[in-house]
Amino acid sequence: MLLQKFDSCQLWKLLLTQQTKKRQKALAKQSQIEAKRSERGAHGKTMGDVRGLIWQSCSKPFVSFLPVGLIIFTLLCFQLQAKDSITGWDITYREMCKKAASDPFYFQNFRALSDYAHALEVGGVKEYADYILKHGSPHVLSKMERFENLDELGSPPRSYIFPLGNFTGTTLRYILFADLIGKLFELPANPKIVEIGAGFGGQCYILSELYPFSKYYIFDLPEPEALIEKMMNALEVQNVICLPIDQRLPEEKIDLLISNYAFSECSREMQLDYFERVIKKADRGFMIYTQLSRRVYGMDTLTTEEFMQLLRENGMNPRIYDEPIKSDVDNHMIIWDRIF
Ligand SMILES: C[S@@+](CC[C@H](N)C(=O)[O-])C[C@H]1O[C@@H](n2cnc3c(N)ncnc32)[C@H](O)[C@@H]1O
Protein backbone atom coordinates (compact mmCIF):
# COMPACT_ATOMS: atom_id res chain seq x y z
CA MET A 1 0.00 0.00 0.00
CA LEU A 2 2.81 2.37 1.14
CA LEU A 3 4.83 1.28 -1.80
CA GLN A 4 1.88 1.93 -3.97
CA LYS A 5 1.53 5.48 -2.41
CA PHE A 6 5.24 6.15 -3.02
CA ASP A 7 4.97 4.93 -6.53
CA SER A 8 1.97 7.14 -7.32
CA CYS A 9 3.79 10.17 -5.74
CA GLN A 10 6.84 9.48 -7.83
CA LEU A 11 4.67 9.09 -10.82
CA TRP A 12 2.99 12.45 -10.18
CA LYS A 13 6.38 14.13 -9.77
CA LEU A 14 7.60 12.58 -12.96
CA LEU A 15 4.52 13.62 -14.83
CA LEU A 16 4.79 17.18 -13.44
CA THR A 17 8.42 17.45 -14.47
CA GLN A 18 7.57 16.23 -17.97
CA GLN A 19 4.68 18.68 -18.23
CA THR A 20 6.90 21.58 -17.06
CA LYS A 21 9.56 20.66 -19.64
CA LYS A 22 6.89 20.49 -22.36
CA ARG A 23 5.57 23.90 -21.32
CA GLN A 24 9.03 25.40 -21.30
CA LYS A 25 9.62 23.96 -24.79
CA ALA A 26 6.30 25.36 -26.00
CA LEU A 27 7.12 28.77 -24.47
CA ALA A 28 10.54 28.78 -26.16
CA LYS A 29 8.90 27.94 -29.50
CA GLN A 30 6.29 30.66 -28.94
CA SER A 31 8.95 33.29 -28.27
CA GLN A 32 10.86 32.14 -31.41
CA ILE A 33 7.67 32.62 -33.47
CA GLU A 34 7.12 36.06 -31.88
CA ALA A 35 10.68 37.08 -32.75
CA LYS A 36 10.19 35.95 -36.40
CA ARG A 37 6.83 37.71 -36.59
CA SER A 38 8.35 41.03 -35.58
CA GLU A 39 10.99 40.53 -38.31
CA ARG A 40 8.16 40.01 -40.87
CA GLY A 41 6.34 42.72 -42.81
CA ALA A 42 2.71 43.74 -42.63
CA HIS A 43 1.62 40.61 -44.48
CA GLY A 44 3.58 38.31 -42.27
CA LYS A 45 6.49 37.81 -44.66
CA THR A 46 10.23 38.24 -44.06
CA MET A 47 12.07 40.83 -46.13
CA GLY A 48 13.45 37.90 -48.13
CA ASP A 49 9.92 36.65 -48.72
CA VAL A 50 8.81 40.15 -49.76
CA ARG A 51 11.70 40.53 -52.18
CA GLY A 52 10.89 37.10 -53.65
CA LEU A 53 7.25 38.02 -53.96
CA ILE A 54 8.06 41.33 -55.67
CA TRP A 55 10.34 39.56 -58.13
CA GLN A 56 7.72 36.87 -58.75
CA SER A 57 4.86 39.31 -59.23
CA CYS A 58 6.94 41.48 -61.57
CA SER A 59 8.82 38.92 -63.56
CA LYS A 60 6.00 36.40 -64.05
CA PRO A 61 3.58 38.76 -65.83
CA PHE A 62 6.51 40.42 -67.61
CA VAL A 63 7.63 37.08 -69.05
CA SER A 64 4.13 35.90 -69.93
CA PHE A 65 3.06 39.28 -71.37
CA LEU A 66 6.30 39.92 -73.25
CA PRO A 67 4.86 38.89 -76.65
CA VAL A 68 1.69 40.93 -76.01
CA GLY A 69 3.85 43.89 -74.98
CA LEU A 70 5.86 43.61 -78.17
CA ILE A 71 2.66 43.58 -80.25
CA ILE A 72 1.34 46.65 -78.41
CA PHE A 73 4.67 48.41 -78.93
CA THR A 74 4.60 47.61 -82.68
CA LEU A 75 1.02 48.86 -82.94
CA LEU A 76 2.00 52.06 -81.14
CA CYS A 77 4.81 52.56 -83.65
CA PHE A 78 2.25 52.15 -86.45
CA GLN A 79 0.00 54.64 -84.65
CA LEU A 80 2.83 57.15 -84.68
CA GLN A 81 3.32 56.58 -88.41
CA ALA A 82 -0.44 56.87 -88.83
CA LYS A 83 -0.13 60.41 -87.54
CA ASP A 84 -0.09 61.78 -91.09
CA SER A 85 -2.90 59.91 -92.89
CA ILE A 86 -4.72 56.58 -93.01
CA THR A 87 -3.47 55.44 -96.41
CA GLY A 88 -0.04 56.84 -95.44
CA TRP A 89 0.51 53.87 -93.12
CA ASP A 90 -1.29 51.34 -95.33
CA ILE A 91 1.88 49.50 -96.33
CA THR A 92 -0.06 46.94 -98.44
CA TYR A 93 -1.62 49.71 -100.53
CA ARG A 94 1.65 51.61 -100.94
CA GLU A 95 3.54 48.45 -101.91
CA MET A 96 0.90 47.62 -104.53
CA CYS A 97 1.17 51.15 -106.00
CA LYS A 98 4.93 50.66 -106.23
CA LYS A 99 4.57 47.27 -107.95
CA ALA A 100 1.90 48.58 -110.34
CA ALA A 101 4.18 51.46 -111.31
CA SER A 102 7.14 49.22 -112.05
CA ASP A 103 5.87 45.76 -113.03
CA PRO A 104 3.74 45.31 -116.21
CA PHE A 105 1.78 42.41 -114.67
CA TYR A 106 0.70 44.51 -111.68
CA PHE A 107 0.02 47.55 -113.86
CA GLN A 108 -2.33 45.40 -115.93
CA ASN A 109 -4.18 44.09 -112.85
CA PHE A 110 -3.75 46.42 -109.86
CA ARG A 111 -7.40 47.56 -109.74
CA ALA A 112 -8.57 43.94 -109.55
CA LEU A 113 -6.28 43.14 -106.60
CA SER A 114 -7.65 43.59 -103.09
CA ASP A 115 -4.31 44.96 -101.82
CA TYR A 116 -5.04 48.02 -103.94
CA ALA A 117 -8.83 47.98 -104.28
CA HIS A 118 -9.51 48.11 -100.51
CA ALA A 119 -8.06 51.62 -100.37
CA LEU A 120 -9.50 53.07 -103.58
CA GLU A 121 -12.41 51.30 -105.20
CA VAL A 122 -16.06 51.86 -104.33
CA GLY A 123 -19.13 49.82 -105.19
CA GLY A 124 -22.50 51.38 -105.91
CA VAL A 125 -22.32 51.22 -109.74
CA LYS A 126 -26.10 51.31 -110.01
CA GLU A 127 -26.58 54.30 -107.69
CA TYR A 128 -23.90 56.36 -109.48
CA ALA A 129 -25.26 55.34 -112.88
CA ASP A 130 -28.84 56.25 -111.89
CA TYR A 131 -27.66 59.65 -110.62
CA ILE A 132 -25.76 60.36 -113.86
CA LEU A 133 -28.69 59.18 -116.00
CA LYS A 134 -31.03 61.48 -114.06
CA HIS A 135 -28.82 64.56 -113.55
CA GLY A 136 -25.94 64.23 -116.06
CA SER A 137 -25.29 67.32 -118.20
CA PRO A 138 -25.30 66.87 -122.01
CA HIS A 139 -21.57 67.76 -122.01
CA VAL A 140 -20.81 64.88 -119.67
CA LEU A 141 -23.16 62.39 -121.34
CA SER A 142 -21.53 63.09 -124.71
CA LYS A 143 -18.13 61.98 -123.33
CA MET A 144 -19.07 58.58 -121.87
CA GLU A 145 -17.20 56.65 -124.54
CA ARG A 146 -13.99 58.55 -123.81
CA PHE A 147 -14.47 58.00 -120.07
CA GLU A 148 -14.64 54.24 -120.63
CA ASN A 149 -10.87 54.34 -121.41
CA LEU A 150 -10.09 54.78 -117.72
CA ASP A 151 -11.44 51.36 -116.77
CA GLU A 152 -9.52 49.72 -119.64
CA LEU A 153 -6.42 49.96 -117.42
CA GLY A 154 -5.77 47.91 -114.26
CA SER A 155 -8.51 45.31 -115.04
CA PRO A 156 -11.14 46.49 -112.53
CA PRO A 157 -14.43 44.54 -112.41
CA ARG A 158 -16.92 46.52 -114.55
CA SER A 159 -20.66 46.43 -115.10
CA TYR A 160 -22.44 47.24 -118.32
CA ILE A 161 -24.98 49.99 -117.70
CA PHE A 162 -27.28 50.77 -120.60
CA PRO A 163 -26.96 53.29 -122.22
CA LEU A 164 -23.88 54.65 -120.37
CA GLY A 165 -21.43 51.83 -121.12
CA ASN A 166 -19.05 49.52 -119.30
CA PHE A 167 -18.01 51.10 -115.98
CA THR A 168 -16.81 50.71 -112.41
CA GLY A 169 -18.51 52.55 -109.55
CA THR A 170 -15.22 54.42 -108.96
CA THR A 171 -15.10 55.89 -112.47
CA LEU A 172 -18.80 56.79 -112.37
CA ARG A 173 -18.08 58.59 -109.09
CA TYR A 174 -15.27 60.60 -110.80
CA ILE A 175 -17.69 61.45 -113.63
CA LEU A 176 -20.41 62.55 -111.19
CA PHE A 177 -17.98 64.81 -109.26
CA ALA A 178 -16.56 66.30 -112.46
CA ASP A 179 -20.09 67.11 -113.62
CA LEU A 180 -20.92 68.73 -110.26
CA ILE A 181 -17.74 70.84 -110.46
CA GLY A 182 -18.82 72.08 -113.91
CA LYS A 183 -22.29 72.97 -112.61
CA LEU A 184 -21.16 74.58 -109.34
CA PHE A 185 -18.33 76.77 -110.62
CA GLU A 186 -17.55 78.99 -113.56
CA LEU A 187 -14.04 77.86 -114.25
CA PRO A 188 -11.81 80.04 -116.45
CA ALA A 189 -10.49 78.54 -119.70
CA ASN A 190 -7.47 76.30 -119.17
CA PRO A 191 -7.68 76.39 -115.39
CA LYS A 192 -4.92 75.61 -112.96
CA ILE A 193 -6.05 72.80 -110.68
CA VAL A 194 -4.53 71.18 -107.58
CA GLU A 195 -5.59 67.80 -106.23
CA ILE A 196 -4.52 66.56 -102.79
CA GLY A 197 -4.57 62.73 -102.72
CA ALA A 198 -5.37 61.65 -106.30
CA GLY A 199 -5.55 57.82 -106.10
CA PHE A 200 -4.47 56.54 -109.53
CA GLY A 201 -5.34 59.84 -111.23
CA GLY A 202 -8.91 58.91 -112.24
CA GLN A 203 -10.45 62.29 -111.32
CA CYS A 204 -7.65 64.02 -113.20
CA TYR A 205 -8.31 61.98 -116.37
CA ILE A 206 -12.08 62.70 -116.34
CA LEU A 207 -11.47 66.43 -115.77
CA SER A 208 -8.90 66.51 -118.58
CA GLU A 209 -11.63 65.33 -120.97
CA LEU A 210 -14.17 67.91 -119.77
CA TYR A 211 -12.18 71.04 -118.89
CA PRO A 212 -8.71 70.94 -120.48
CA PHE A 213 -6.35 72.43 -117.90
CA SER A 214 -3.08 74.28 -118.26
CA LYS A 215 -1.66 72.74 -115.05
CA TYR A 216 -2.86 69.92 -112.81
CA TYR A 217 -0.72 69.67 -109.67
CA ILE A 218 -0.99 66.54 -107.55
CA PHE A 219 0.19 66.14 -103.95
CA ASP A 220 0.35 62.47 -102.99
CA LEU A 221 2.73 59.90 -101.50
CA PRO A 222 5.71 58.74 -103.61
CA GLU A 223 4.33 55.28 -104.53
CA PRO A 224 0.86 56.47 -105.68
CA GLU A 225 2.54 59.33 -107.55
CA ALA A 226 4.72 56.85 -109.48
CA LEU A 227 1.52 55.00 -110.44
CA ILE A 228 -0.31 58.22 -111.35
CA GLU A 229 2.54 59.21 -113.67
CA LYS A 230 2.35 55.81 -115.37
CA MET A 231 -1.44 56.10 -115.75
CA MET A 232 -1.24 59.64 -117.13
CA ASN A 233 1.33 58.52 -119.71
CA ALA A 234 -0.83 55.57 -120.75
CA LEU A 235 -3.92 57.81 -121.06
CA GLU A 236 -1.91 60.61 -122.74
CA VAL A 237 -2.98 63.26 -120.24
CA GLN A 238 -0.81 66.38 -120.55
CA ASN A 239 0.23 69.04 -118.00
CA VAL A 240 0.10 66.88 -114.88
CA ILE A 241 2.77 67.64 -112.26
CA CYS A 242 3.21 65.38 -109.24
CA LEU A 243 4.77 67.10 -106.23
CA PRO A 244 6.10 65.64 -102.96
CA ILE A 245 3.61 66.17 -100.14
CA ASP A 246 5.75 68.75 -98.34
CA GLN A 247 6.76 70.79 -101.36
CA ARG A 248 5.82 74.42 -101.95
CA LEU A 249 3.17 74.93 -104.64
CA PRO A 250 4.94 76.79 -107.47
CA GLU A 251 1.89 79.06 -108.11
CA GLU A 252 0.57 82.12 -106.27
CA LYS A 253 -3.03 81.48 -107.32
CA ILE A 254 -4.95 78.45 -108.50
CA ASP A 255 -8.45 78.17 -109.89
CA LEU A 256 -9.64 74.98 -108.25
CA LEU A 257 -8.64 72.79 -105.31
CA ILE A 258 -9.94 69.20 -105.17
CA SER A 259 -9.49 66.68 -102.40
CA ASN A 260 -11.88 63.77 -102.11
CA TYR A 261 -11.51 61.34 -99.20
CA ALA A 262 -7.90 62.51 -98.83
CA PHE A 263 -7.36 65.88 -97.04
CA SER A 264 -9.88 64.76 -94.41
CA GLU A 265 -7.91 61.56 -93.72
CA CYS A 266 -4.77 63.56 -92.86
CA SER A 267 -3.75 64.64 -89.35
CA ARG A 268 -4.66 68.14 -88.13
CA GLU A 269 -0.98 69.13 -88.35
CA MET A 270 -0.78 68.07 -91.99
CA GLN A 271 -4.17 69.65 -92.80
CA LEU A 272 -3.07 73.01 -91.38
CA ASP A 273 0.16 72.77 -93.35
CA TYR A 274 -1.78 72.05 -96.60
CA PHE A 275 -4.12 74.91 -95.77
CA GLU A 276 -1.26 77.41 -95.47
CA ARG A 277 0.78 76.11 -98.42
CA VAL A 278 -1.95 75.18 -100.92
CA ILE A 279 -5.63 75.65 -100.05
CA LYS A 280 -5.31 79.37 -99.26
CA LYS A 281 -4.16 79.96 -102.85
CA ALA A 282 -7.29 78.42 -104.40
CA ASP A 283 -10.21 80.55 -105.59
CA ARG A 284 -12.57 77.57 -105.46
CA GLY A 285 -12.69 74.21 -103.80
CA PHE A 286 -14.48 70.88 -103.98
CA MET A 287 -13.97 68.34 -101.24
CA ILE A 288 -15.53 65.14 -99.96
CA TYR A 289 -14.86 65.33 -96.25
CA THR A 290 -14.89 62.06 -94.30
CA GLN A 291 -14.78 61.40 -90.54
CA LEU A 292 -13.06 57.99 -90.81
CA SER A 293 -9.68 59.06 -89.42
CA ARG A 294 -11.36 60.70 -86.41
CA ARG A 295 -14.17 58.16 -85.82
CA VAL A 296 -12.34 54.88 -86.52
CA TYR A 297 -8.64 55.67 -86.05
CA GLY A 298 -9.01 58.25 -83.27
CA MET A 299 -6.79 60.73 -85.10
CA ASP A 300 -6.81 64.42 -84.34
CA THR A 301 -8.21 66.07 -87.48
CA LEU A 302 -10.13 69.27 -88.22
CA THR A 303 -13.86 68.88 -87.75
CA THR A 304 -15.98 70.00 -90.70
CA GLU A 305 -16.95 73.14 -88.72
CA GLU A 306 -13.31 73.96 -87.90
CA PHE A 307 -12.38 73.55 -91.57
CA MET A 308 -15.30 75.72 -92.71
CA GLN A 309 -14.32 78.38 -90.14
CA LEU A 310 -10.74 78.42 -91.50
CA LEU A 311 -12.14 78.93 -95.00
CA ARG A 312 -14.38 81.81 -93.78
CA GLU A 313 -11.45 83.47 -91.99
CA ASN A 314 -9.59 83.40 -95.30
CA GLY A 315 -12.24 85.09 -97.40
CA MET A 316 -14.18 82.07 -98.72
CA ASN A 317 -17.86 81.22 -98.46
CA PRO A 318 -17.99 77.52 -97.70
CA ARG A 319 -21.16 75.47 -98.05
CA ILE A 320 -21.73 71.97 -96.80
CA TYR A 321 -23.99 69.26 -98.29
CA ASP A 322 -24.49 65.54 -97.90
CA GLU A 323 -22.24 63.44 -100.14
CA PRO A 324 -24.30 63.03 -103.36
CA ILE A 325 -24.26 59.22 -103.06
CA LYS A 326 -23.55 58.38 -99.41
CA SER A 327 -20.52 56.09 -99.09
CA ASP A 328 -20.25 56.54 -95.31
CA VAL A 329 -22.68 57.82 -92.69
CA ASP A 330 -20.93 61.08 -91.91
CA ASN A 331 -19.34 62.03 -95.25
CA HIS A 332 -20.00 65.54 -96.53
CA MET A 333 -19.37 67.55 -99.65
CA ILE A 334 -17.80 70.92 -98.87
CA ILE A 335 -17.52 73.50 -101.64
CA TRP A 336 -16.37 77.09 -101.57
CA ASP A 337 -15.31 80.07 -103.63
CA ARG A 338 -13.55 83.28 -102.79
CA ILE A 339 -15.62 86.31 -101.85
CA PHE A 340 -12.73 88.80 -101.32
C1 LIG B 1 -9.01 57.17 -100.10
S1 LIG B 1 -7.86 57.66 -101.28
C2 LIG B 1 -8.83 58.75 -102.30
C3 LIG B 1 -8.23 58.92 -103.67
C4 LIG B 1 -9.01 59.80 -104.65
N1 LIG B 1 -9.13 61.15 -104.18
C5 LIG B 1 -10.35 59.23 -104.95
O1 LIG B 1 -11.36 59.94 -104.79
O2 LIG B 1 -10.43 58.07 -105.38
C6 LIG B 1 -6.78 58.71 -100.38
C7 LIG B 1 -5.66 59.29 -101.22
O3 LIG B 1 -4.89 60.16 -100.40
C8 LIG B 1 -3.52 59.87 -100.61
N2 LIG B 1 -2.75 60.33 -99.45
C9 LIG B 1 -2.46 59.68 -98.31
N3 LIG B 1 -1.74 60.47 -97.50
C10 LIG B 1 -1.57 61.65 -98.15
C11 LIG B 1 -0.90 62.87 -97.84
N4 LIG B 1 -0.27 63.03 -96.69
N5 LIG B 1 -0.93 63.87 -98.75
C12 LIG B 1 -1.57 63.70 -99.93
N6 LIG B 1 -2.22 62.57 -100.27
C13 LIG B 1 -2.22 61.57 -99.39
C14 LIG B 1 -3.51 58.38 -100.88
O4 LIG B 1 -2.34 57.92 -101.49
C15 LIG B 1 -4.71 58.27 -101.80
O5 LIG B 1 -4.36 58.63 -103.10
Side-chain angles (χ1 to χ4, degrees):
M1 190 75 177
L2 245 172
L3 193 71
Q4 259 182 342
K5 246 187 180 176
F6 171 81
D7 279 351
S8 59
C9 263
Q10 289 285 74
L11 198 66
W12 269 108
K13 249 188 179 174
L14 202 72
L15 278 172
L16 267 173
T17 323
Q18 272 178 356
Q19 284 292 6
T20 317
K21 270 187 187 166
K22 261 191 190 171
R23 243 195 112 156
Q24 275 170 351
K25 245 186 179 176
L27 278 172
K29 208 171 184 182
Q30 181 72 27
S31 61
Q32 256 181 12
I33 291 169
E34 290 298 321
K36 268 199 176 172
R37 199 171 274 164
S38 64
E39 197 190 321
R40 289 174 189 228
H43 298 286
K45 308 273 183 246
T46 63
M47 287 317 283
D49 291 344
V50 173
R51 268 197 295 274
L53 267 178
I54 292 173
W55 170 247
Q56 263 190 2
S57 54
C58 291
S59 66
K60 256 196 190 163
F62 180 76
V63 171
S64 48
F65 285 113
L66 191 62
V68 180
L70 278 174
I71 293 169
I72 292 169
F73 179 73
T74 316
L75 285 175
L76 276 176
C77 289
F78 268 120
Q79 259 321 100
L80 289 178
Q81 283 184 25
K83 216 170 66 154
D84 284 345
S85 68
I86 302 172
T87 36
W89 62 280
D90 187 341
I91 308 297
T92 319
Y93 156 74
R94 293 180 68 165
E95 272 300 307
M96 187 47 69
C97 291
K98 198 169 158 186
K99 282 184 192 164
S102 56
D103 181 325
F105 168 79
Y106 286 104
F107 184 62
Q108 221 166 34
N109 297 296
F110 72 96
R111 290 187 62 194
L113 303 173
S114 64
D115 281 359
Y116 185 85
H118 77 270
L120 254 293
E121 303 290 341
V122 295
V125 185
K126 196 179 171 315
E127 283 118 306
Y128 288 111
D130 287 347
Y131 191 101
I132 293 168
L133 282 168
K134 199 166 168 197
H135 304 285
S137 65
H139 184 203
V140 160
L141 292 171
S142 70
K143 293 270 185 176
M144 295 308 285
E145 226 177 290
R146 291 284 302 165
F147 297 152
E148 273 186 312
N149 291 343
L150 186 61
D151 289 338
E152 296 289 336
L153 300 171
S155 310
R158 295 181 278 180
S159 307
Y160 185 79
I161 309 283
F162 179 80
L164 297 178
N166 216 6
F167 284 104
T168 58
T170 308
T171 292
L172 291 177
R173 171 164 63 82
Y174 295 141
I175 296 169
L176 191 161
F177 291 162
D179 201 12
L180 277 177
I181 286 169
K183 288 174 181 166
L184 287 164
F185 304 121
E186 261 189 54
L187 284 174
N190 309 312
K192 285 179 184 166
I193 301 176
V194 174
E195 184 171 2
I196 298 173
F200 53 83
Q203 192 67 74
C204 174
Y205 170 70
I206 302 295
L207 287 169
S208 75
E209 288 291 323
L210 291 169
Y211 324 111
F213 40 73
S214 57
K215 292 272 167 43
Y216 197 106
Y217 294 98
I218 289 175
F219 286 97
D220 208 313
L221 304 164
E223 302 87 346
E225 286 198 340
L227 176 57
I228 292 167
E229 279 169 357
K230 194 154 171 86
M231 286 288 288
M232 296 302 103
N233 281 339
L235 292 160
E236 297 178 342
V237 182
Q238 307 293 315
N239 306 326
V240 180
I241 303 137
C242 289
L243 298 171
I245 55 171
D246 54 358
Q247 193 158 313
R248 189 186 149 268
L249 178 69
E251 299 285 347
E252 286 319 306
K253 193 179 90 73
I254 49 165
D255 300 302
L256 176 66
L257 181 288
I258 301 171
S259 189
N260 298 328
Y261 317 93
F263 173 79
S264 54
E265 72 151 74
C266 292
S267 66
R268 177 185 292 264
E269 195 186 341
M270 177 144 267
Q271 288 178 320
L272 293 175
D273 184 38
Y274 271 132
F275 196 88
E276 283 303 312
R277 258 186 313 127
V278 186
I279 299 177
K280 259 174 140 176
K281 293 180 171 178
D283 284 345
R284 305 162 190 81
F286 181 97
M287 206 176 262
I288 301 293
Y289 208 97
T290 68
Q291 306 291 333
L292 200 68
S293 42
R294 171 176 282 274
R295 194 188 68 223
V296 178
Y297 294 85
M299 283 168 67
D300 179 27
T301 57
L302 293 171
T303 61
T304 47
E305 191 38 53
E306 282 175 323
F307 179 54
M308 304 241 310
Q309 186 54 29
L310 260 184
L311 288 166
R312 279 185 213 109
E313 284 165 9
N314 285 275
M316 320 285 180
N317 64 338
R319 285 144 281 161
I320 185 163
Y321 304 93
D322 272 348
E323 189 185 19
I325 305 286
K326 274 251 177 245
S327 60
D328 203 350
V329 278
D330 42 15
N331 284 0
H332 286 99
M333 177 173 86
I334 300 179
I335 57 159
W336 67 93
D337 40 27
R338 193 181 292 283
I339 36 178
F340 58 84

